[in-house]
Amino acid sequence: MSKPLLALTLAASSLFVSSQAAAAPVVYLGADNSVTSLAQMTNSLAAASSFLAVAGALNTVDFESALPANLTITGGSTTNNSGCGAPCGFNTTSGGSFFRLVSGGSVTFTFTNPVDAFGFFVNGLQTDLVPQQTIVYVDGSTVTQTINMPASTGGGGAFVGFIDFGQLISSVTFNATNDILGFDDLRFGRSANAPGGNVPEPATLALVGLSLAGLAATRRRKSASR
C-alpha cells in the first residue's frame, strides 16, 4: 500500500473511531400513569419489547432467587411488600411476588463483567411530585451519561432501557430522589447486535464507505497512468 493511500485509510479509520467515542446511548422509554399491575403498563411493555428486539438475549434478574454472581446491587432491599401498596411499587414477574424496593436516595447496579445494555421495569412513580429522577453511568471512557426518567404520575410505571453499543459500563445508578419505588425484571449484558463490542452507526458506515471508494478510485487512476 502506498504512503498516500495508507494515510487516507488511517484518516478514515480515525473518523470511525472518533464517531464511536462520541456516540450517545440509544434509549427506550415507556411510561403509564396510575398502574397496579404489569398488564396495565402498556406503554412500558411496548418499550421493553423494542429494547429486547435490538439487545437480544440478556441476563434477567427477577428477584425470585439469589442475585447472579456477576451483579451487585447497592441501595434498597428485596421484598414482596412495599408497605404502602401499588403506589409504592410492586412485582412485575409473571407468577412472582418479589421486587427491589428503594425508599428514596439511589440504587446502584454493579457488573463484574461490563455491559453495554441495561433495562428494567420501575413503578410507584410520581414524577410530578418528585421530579429530576435520573439514571447515570460512565460509558467506559471518561464520559458520564445521564438519562432522565419519563413522566409518570399517580403511582405510575415505566420501562427504562438503553444500549450504548460497544461501551464497557461497570455500574449504573438510579437516583430515586425522595420517591418510594419498586424495580423488577432487570435485563443486562452485551447487546447481541454488537459482537466484539462495536456497532457503527449507519451514517458512519456510509462515510467510511465513501472514503474507501475514493481510495480505490485514486489507486486505479495511479495504476492507469503508469
Side-chain angles (χ1 to χ4, degrees):
M1 183 182 292
S2 67
K3 288 185 178 179
L5 186 59
L6 175 61
L8 286 171
T9 302
L10 289 174
S13 299
S14 297
L15 181 62
F16 173 79
V17 171
S18 63
S19 173
Q20 286 298 296
V26 180
V27 180
Y28 301 83
L29 301 174
D32 304 272
N33 297 329
S34 304
V35 295
T36 59
S37 69
L38 181 62
Q40 297 174 346
M41 297 168 61
T42 54
N43 296 324
S44 305
L45 286 166
S49 178
S50 297
F51 167 74
L52 292 173
V54 177
L58 299 174
N59 299 294
T60 301
V61 174
D62 58 15
F63 299 105
E64 302 301 321
S65 56
L67 294 178
N70 56 342
L71 172 67
T72 301
I73 303 178
T74 305
S77 59
T78 299
T79 183
N80 60 358
N81 186 349
S82 69
C84 50
C88 295
F90 55 86
N91 164 76
T92 58
T93 306
S94 177
S97 58
F98 288 88
F99 57 97
R100 191 77 176 190
L101 179 68
V102 178
S103 299
S106 64
V107 56
T108 298
F109 308 93
T110 303
F111 316 104
T112 301
N113 300 314
V115 306
D116 69 354
F118 182 70
F120 58 87
F121 287 106
V122 56
N123 38 56
L125 291 163
Q126 301 181 88
T127 57
D128 52 337
L129 303 177
V130 187
Q132 299 178 333
Q133 295 178 347
T134 59
I135 299 167
V136 179
Y137 68 93
V138 177
D139 69 5
S141 60
T142 58
V143 179
T144 298
Q145 302 282 4
T146 301
I147 299 170
N148 295 317
M149 281 295 297
S152 183
T153 63
F159 177 83
V160 181
F162 67 85
I163 306 173
D164 204 341
F165 291 112
Q167 298 299 339
L168 300 174
I169 302 163
S170 58
S171 69
V172 177
T173 296
F174 183 95
N175 299 306
T177 317
N178 295 318
D179 211 349
I180 301 175
L181 304 173
F183 294 81
D184 207 355
D185 295 310
L186 312 180
R187 302 294 182 99
F188 67 93
R190 306 297 294 175
S191 56
N193 289 330
N198 284 299
V199 170
E201 297 176 351
T204 303
L205 278 176
L207 192 54
V208 173
L210 287 173
S211 299
L212 293 177
L215 296 177
T218 300
R219 193 170 187 177
R220 283 197 300 271
R221 285 196 297 271
K222 287 186 176 181
S223 299
S225 64
R226 289 177 182 173

